[in-house]
């Protein structure tokens, strides 16, 4: 069973990953444009919300997700959503 301590540790790790990349590596600031791949995943969810907070209303947040998650990603703060479609090819 998934315990509360593990859940809190995961949340901290996800938050740190998002913060470290967006703030320290990408040096995201107000008015910037940002692309987040995997917007419906754990890190993507946190990254969209953090990016929206940092760039403000003058910035632009774009994220990818599967077609079934478009509404979720938009509600998190993405201005545009690019859907990912997996194509399977026969050899």
């Amino acid at each position: 069973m998934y315990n509360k301590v593990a859940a809190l540790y995961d949340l901290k790790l996800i938050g740190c990953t998002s913060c470290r990349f967006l703030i320290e590596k990408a040096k995201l600031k107000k008015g910037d444009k940002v692309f987040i791949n995997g917007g419906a995943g754990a890190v993507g969810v946190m990254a969209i919300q953090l990016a929206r907070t940092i760039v403000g209303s003058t910035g632009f947040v774009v994220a990818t997700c599967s077609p079934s998650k478009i509404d979720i990603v938009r509600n998190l703060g993405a201005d545009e959503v690019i859907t990912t479609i997996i194509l399977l090819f026969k050899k």
Side-chain angles (χ1 to χ4, degrees):
M1 184 171 174
Y2 199 65
N3 66 40
K4 291 177 185 177
V5 174
L8 289 174
Y9 178 76
D10 289 347
L11 186 59
K12 180 181 174 184
L13 184 62
I14 291 164
C16 287
T17 302
S18 299
C19 282
R20 181 133 197 207
F21 179 76
L22 293 175
I23 296 169
E24 294 178 20
K25 300 291 182 186
K27 301 195 185 322
L28 196 63
K29 59 190 179 309
K30 187 174 180 140
D32 282 352
K33 297 174 185 171
V34 63
F35 174 80
I36 298 168
N37 191 31
V43 175
V45 165
M46 185 72 77
I48 291 170
Q49 294 175 81
L50 181 60
R52 171 52 52 212
T53 302
I54 294 169
V55 302
S57 60
T58 58
F60 199 71
V61 179
V62 178
T64 64
C65 67
S66 63
S68 63
K69 308 281 181 165
I70 293 172
D71 291 334
I72 294 169
V73 171
R74 280 193 204 274
N75 289 332
L76 289 170
D79 294 304
E80 290 291 331
V81 179
I82 299 170
T83 59
T84 55
I85 299 172
I86 300 170
L87 300 173
L88 302 174
F89 295 96
K90 281 188 171 182
K91 287 187 178 183

